[in-house]
PDB file of all heavy atoms in Angstrom:
ATOM      1  N   ASN A 450     145.612 107.559  95.435  1.00 82.00           N
ATOM      2  CA  ASN A 450     144.719 106.454  95.787  1.00 82.00           C
ATOM      3  C   ASN A 450     143.471 106.446  94.900  1.00 82.00           C
ATOM      4  O   ASN A 450     142.972 105.384  94.521  1.00 82.00           O
ATOM      5  CB  ASN A 450     144.315 106.555  97.259  1.00 82.00           C
ATOM      6  CG  ASN A 450     145.431 106.119  98.193  1.00 82.00           C
ATOM      7  OD1 ASN A 450     146.350 105.417  97.784  1.00 82.00           O
ATOM      8  ND2 ASN A 450     145.368 106.546  99.440  1.00 82.00           N
ATOM      9  N   TRP A 451     142.964 107.639  94.594  1.00 86.00           N
ATOM     10  CA  TRP A 451     141.816 107.735  93.689  1.00 86.00           C
ATOM     11  C   TRP A 451     142.165 107.139  92.320  1.00 86.00           C
ATOM     12  O   TRP A 451     141.392 106.386  91.739  1.00 86.00           O
ATOM     13  CB  TRP A 451     141.393 109.198  93.522  1.00 86.00           C
ATOM     14  CG  TRP A 451     140.375 109.632  94.525  1.00 86.00           C
ATOM     15  CD1 TRP A 451     140.605 110.188  95.757  1.00 86.00           C
ATOM     16  CD2 TRP A 451     138.957 109.530  94.397  1.00 86.00           C
ATOM     17  NE1 TRP A 451     139.420 110.439  96.386  1.00 86.00           N
ATOM     18  CE2 TRP A 451     138.390 110.053  95.583  1.00 86.00           C
ATOM     19  CE3 TRP A 451     138.114 109.054  93.410  1.00 86.00           C
ATOM     20  CZ2 TRP A 451     137.013 110.107  95.782  1.00 86.00           C
ATOM     21  CZ3 TRP A 451     136.739 109.109  93.605  1.00 86.00           C
ATOM     22  CH2 TRP A 451     136.200 109.628  94.776  1.00 86.00           C
ATOM     23  N   GLU A 452     143.332 107.481  91.828  1.00 88.00           N
ATOM     24  CA  GLU A 452     143.743 106.993  90.509  1.00 88.00           C
ATOM     25  C   GLU A 452     143.854 105.471  90.504  1.00 88.00           C
ATOM     26  O   GLU A 452     143.430 104.798  89.555  1.00 88.00           O
ATOM     27  CB  GLU A 452     145.060 107.642  90.100  1.00 88.00           C
ATOM     28  CG  GLU A 452     144.907 109.134  89.786  1.00 88.00           C
ATOM     29  CD  GLU A 452     146.233 109.832  89.560  1.00 88.00           C
ATOM     30  OE1 GLU A 452     147.294 109.204  89.838  1.00 88.00           O
ATOM     31  OE2 GLU A 452     146.227 111.003  89.129  1.00 88.00           O
ATOM     32  N   LYS A 453     144.421 104.910  91.582  1.00 84.00           N
ATOM     33  CA  LYS A 453     144.553 103.455  91.668  1.00 84.00           C
ATOM     34  C   LYS A 453     143.178 102.786  91.736  1.00 84.00           C
ATOM     35  O   LYS A 453     142.937 101.761  91.097  1.00 84.00           O
ATOM     36  CB  LYS A 453     145.383 103.074  92.908  1.00 84.00           C
ATOM     37  CG  LYS A 453     146.874 103.318  92.760  1.00 84.00           C
ATOM     38  CD  LYS A 453     147.656 102.720  93.906  1.00 84.00           C
ATOM     39  CE  LYS A 453     147.496 103.529  95.177  1.00 84.00           C
ATOM     40  NZ  LYS A 453     148.365 103.053  96.276  1.00 84.00           N
ATOM     41  N   ALA A 454     142.281 103.370  92.533  1.00 86.00           N
ATOM     42  CA  ALA A 454     140.954 102.795  92.695  1.00 86.00           C
ATOM     43  C   ALA A 454     140.173 102.833  91.387  1.00 86.00           C
ATOM     44  O   ALA A 454     139.510 101.857  91.005  1.00 86.00           O
ATOM     45  CB  ALA A 454     140.192 103.541  93.792  1.00 86.00           C
ATOM     46  N   GLU A 455     140.223 103.964  90.682  1.00 90.00           N
ATOM     47  CA  GLU A 455     139.503 104.096  89.413  1.00 90.00           C
ATOM     48  C   GLU A 455     140.010 103.085  88.388  1.00 90.00           C
ATOM     49  O   GLU A 455     139.223 102.443  87.683  1.00 90.00           O
ATOM     50  CB  GLU A 455     139.643 105.529  88.881  1.00 90.00           C
ATOM     51  CG  GLU A 455     138.843 106.539  89.685  1.00 90.00           C
ATOM     52  CD  GLU A 455     139.158 107.985  89.343  1.00 90.00           C
ATOM     53  OE1 GLU A 455     140.164 108.238  88.640  1.00 90.00           O
ATOM     54  OE2 GLU A 455     138.407 108.873  89.794  1.00 90.00           O
ATOM     55  N   GLN A 456     141.333 102.920  88.328  1.00 89.00           N
ATOM     56  CA  GLN A 456     141.896 101.986  87.360  1.00 89.00           C
ATOM     57  C   GLN A 456     141.547 100.542  87.709  1.00 89.00           C
ATOM     58  O   GLN A 456     141.290  99.719  86.820  1.00 89.00           O
ATOM     59  CB  GLN A 456     143.422 102.153  87.285  1.00 89.00           C
ATOM     60  CG  GLN A 456     144.043 101.490  86.066  1.00 89.00           C
ATOM     61  CD  GLN A 456     143.440 101.965  84.755  1.00 89.00           C
ATOM     62  OE1 GLN A 456     143.356 103.162  84.502  1.00 89.00           O
ATOM     63  NE2 GLN A 456     142.996 101.037  83.905  1.00 89.00           N
ATOM     64  N   ALA A 457     141.494 100.238  89.015  1.00 87.00           N
ATOM     65  CA  ALA A 457     141.143  98.874  89.443  1.00 87.00           C
ATOM     66  C   ALA A 457     139.730  98.510  88.992  1.00 87.00           C
ATOM     67  O   ALA A 457     139.466  97.382  88.542  1.00 87.00           O
ATOM     68  CB  ALA A 457     141.255  98.758  90.963  1.00 87.00           C
ATOM     69  N   ILE A 458     138.801  99.466  89.079  1.00 91.00           N
ATOM     70  CA  ILE A 458     137.415  99.207  88.676  1.00 91.00           C
ATOM     71  C   ILE A 458     137.326  99.019  87.165  1.00 91.00           C
ATOM     72  O   ILE A 458     136.650  98.105  86.673  1.00 91.00           O
ATOM     73  CB  ILE A 458     136.501 100.358  89.136  1.00 91.00           C
ATOM     74  CG1 ILE A 458     136.422 100.378  90.661  1.00 91.00           C
ATOM     75  CG2 ILE A 458     135.104 100.219  88.532  1.00 91.00           C
ATOM     76  CD1 ILE A 458     135.626 101.533  91.223  1.00 91.00           C
ATOM     77  N   ILE A 459     138.012  99.874  86.421  1.00 92.00           N
ATOM     78  CA  ILE A 459     137.991  99.771  84.958  1.00 92.00           C
ATOM     79  C   ILE A 459     138.568  98.424  84.515  1.00 92.00           C
ATOM     80  O   ILE A 459     138.012  97.754  83.627  1.00 92.00           O
ATOM     81  CB  ILE A 459     138.766 100.944  84.328  1.00 92.00           C
ATOM     82  CG1 ILE A 459     137.988 102.257  84.532  1.00 92.00           C
ATOM     83  CG2 ILE A 459     139.021 100.706  82.838  1.00 92.00           C
ATOM     84  CD1 ILE A 459     138.760 103.507  84.159  1.00 92.00           C
ATOM     85  N   ASN A 460     139.653  97.998  85.151  1.00 91.00           N
ATOM     86  CA  ASN A 460     140.273  96.718  84.797  1.00 91.00           C
ATOM     87  C   ASN A 460     139.325  95.544  85.072  1.00 91.00           C
ATOM     88  O   ASN A 460     139.190  94.626  84.249  1.00 91.00           O
ATOM     89  CB  ASN A 460     141.570  96.521  85.584  1.00 91.00           C
ATOM     90  CG  ASN A 460     142.662  97.469  85.140  1.00 91.00           C
ATOM     91  OD1 ASN A 460     142.570  98.091  84.080  1.00 91.00           O
ATOM     92  ND2 ASN A 460     143.700  97.616  85.947  1.00 91.00           N
ATOM     93  N   ALA A 461     138.662  95.581  86.242  1.00 91.00           N
ATOM     94  CA  ALA A 461     137.759  94.483  86.607  1.00 91.00           C
ATOM     95  C   ALA A 461     136.565  94.422  85.651  1.00 91.00           C
ATOM     96  O   ALA A 461     136.165  93.343  85.210  1.00 91.00           O
ATOM     97  CB  ALA A 461     137.273  94.658  88.045  1.00 91.00           C
ATOM     98  N   ALA A 462     135.997  95.598  85.317  1.00 92.00           N
ATOM     99  CA  ALA A 462     134.848  95.639  84.396  1.00 92.00           C
ATOM    100  C   ALA A 462     135.245  95.105  83.023  1.00 92.00           C
ATOM    101  O   ALA A 462     134.476  94.376  82.381  1.00 92.00           O
ATOM    102  CB  ALA A 462     134.320  97.066  84.291  1.00 92.00           C
ATOM    103  N   SER A 463     136.446  95.450  82.578  1.00 92.00           N
ATOM    104  CA  SER A 463     136.931  94.972  81.275  1.00 92.00           C
ATOM    105  C   SER A 463     137.135  93.465  81.289  1.00 92.00           C
ATOM    106  O   SER A 463     136.714  92.756  80.369  1.00 92.00           O
ATOM    107  CB  SER A 463     138.240  95.678  80.910  1.00 92.00           C
ATOM    108  OG  SER A 463     138.048  97.061  80.764  1.00 92.00           O
ATOM    109  N   ASP A 464     137.791  92.978  82.346  1.00 92.00           N
ATOM    110  CA  ASP A 464     138.093  91.550  82.428  1.00 92.00           C
ATOM    111  C   ASP A 464     136.825  90.690  82.513  1.00 92.00           C
ATOM    112  O   ASP A 464     136.805  89.555  82.025  1.00 92.00           O
ATOM    113  CB  ASP A 464     138.980  91.265  83.646  1.00 92.00           C
ATOM    114  CG  ASP A 464     140.396  91.813  83.469  1.00 92.00           C
ATOM    115  OD1 ASP A 464     140.738  92.218  82.337  1.00 92.00           O
ATOM    116  OD2 ASP A 464     141.139  91.860  84.467  1.00 92.00           O
ATOM    117  N   LYS A 465     135.762  91.225  83.137  1.00 91.00           N
ATOM    118  CA  LYS A 465     134.515  90.474  83.255  1.00 91.00           C
ATOM    119  C   LYS A 465     133.639  90.620  82.019  1.00 91.00           C
ATOM    120  O   LYS A 465     132.544  90.045  81.942  1.00 91.00           O
ATOM    121  CB  LYS A 465     133.718  90.928  84.485  1.00 91.00           C
ATOM    122  CG  LYS A 465     134.388  90.646  85.816  1.00 91.00           C
ATOM    123  CD  LYS A 465     134.699  89.181  86.040  1.00 91.00           C
ATOM    124  CE  LYS A 465     133.492  88.328  86.237  1.00 91.00           C
ATOM    125  NZ  LYS A 465     133.815  86.937  86.587  1.00 91.00           N
ATOM    126  N   GLY A 466     134.111  91.387  81.031  1.00 91.00           N
ATOM    127  CA  GLY A 466     133.375  91.524  79.780  1.00 91.00           C
ATOM    128  C   GLY A 466     132.109  92.343  79.895  1.00 91.00           C
ATOM    129  O   GLY A 466     131.167  92.157  79.107  1.00 91.00           O
ATOM    130  N   LEU A 467     132.056  93.271  80.869  1.00 92.00           N
ATOM    131  CA  LEU A 467     130.854  94.080  81.044  1.00 92.00           C
ATOM    132  C   LEU A 467     130.761  95.147  79.958  1.00 92.00           C
ATOM    133  O   LEU A 467     131.769  95.693  79.505  1.00 92.00           O
ATOM    134  CB  LEU A 467     130.867  94.773  82.419  1.00 92.00           C
ATOM    135  CG  LEU A 467     130.792  93.879  83.659  1.00 92.00           C
ATOM    136  CD1 LEU A 467     130.811  94.740  84.914  1.00 92.00           C
ATOM    137  CD2 LEU A 467     129.540  93.015  83.636  1.00 92.00           C
ATOM    138  N   ASP A 468     129.546  95.447  79.558  1.00 90.00           N
ATOM    139  CA  ASP A 468     129.271  96.566  78.666  1.00 90.00           C
ATOM    140  C   ASP A 468     129.221  97.807  79.548  1.00 90.00           C
ATOM    141  O   ASP A 468     128.244  98.038  80.258  1.00 90.00           O
ATOM    142  CB  ASP A 468     127.930  96.338  77.960  1.00 90.00           C
ATOM    143  CG  ASP A 468     127.524  97.514  77.081  1.00 90.00           C
ATOM    144  OD1 ASP A 468     128.388  98.352  76.778  1.00 90.00           O
ATOM    145  OD2 ASP A 468     126.332  97.594  76.719  1.00 90.00           O
ATOM    146  N   TYR A 469     130.307  98.607  79.552  1.00 92.00           N
ATOM    147  CA  TYR A 469     130.368  99.720  80.498  1.00 92.00           C
ATOM    148  C   TYR A 469     130.778 101.024  79.829  1.00 92.00           C
ATOM    149  O   TYR A 469     131.371 101.051  78.760  1.00 92.00           O
ATOM    150  CB  TYR A 469     131.339  99.403  81.643  1.00 92.00           C
ATOM    151  CG  TYR A 469     132.806  99.464  81.283  1.00 92.00           C
ATOM    152  CD1 TYR A 469     133.539 100.639  81.440  1.00 92.00           C
ATOM    153  CD2 TYR A 469     133.469  98.342  80.782  1.00 92.00           C
ATOM    154  CE1 TYR A 469     134.888 100.695  81.102  1.00 92.00           C
ATOM    155  CE2 TYR A 469     134.807  98.383  80.446  1.00 92.00           C
ATOM    156  CZ  TYR A 469     135.520  99.568  80.608  1.00 92.00           C
ATOM    157  OH  TYR A 469     136.848  99.628  80.269  1.00 92.00           O
ATOM    158  N   ILE A 470     130.411 102.113  80.520  1.00 92.00           N
ATOM    159  CA  ILE A 470     130.849 103.450  80.132  1.00 92.00           C
ATOM    160  C   ILE A 470     131.493 104.091  81.355  1.00 92.00           C
ATOM    161  O   ILE A 470     131.262 103.656  82.485  1.00 92.00           O
ATOM    162  CB  ILE A 470     129.676 104.325  79.636  1.00 92.00           C
ATOM    163  CG1 ILE A 470     128.609 104.460  80.731  1.00 92.00           C
ATOM    164  CG2 ILE A 470     129.077 103.764  78.364  1.00 92.00           C
ATOM    165  CD1 ILE A 470     127.540 105.490  80.417  1.00 92.00           C
TER     166      ILE A 470
END
Side-chain angles (χ1 to χ4, degrees):
N450 284 340
W451 270 90
E452 290 172 350
K453 285 189 286 186
E455 288 169 348
Q456 195 56 52
I458 293 176
I459 290 170
N460 290 345
S463 297
D464 290 349
K465 295 302 291 186
L467 295 180
D468 176 16
Y469 74 92
I470 59 170

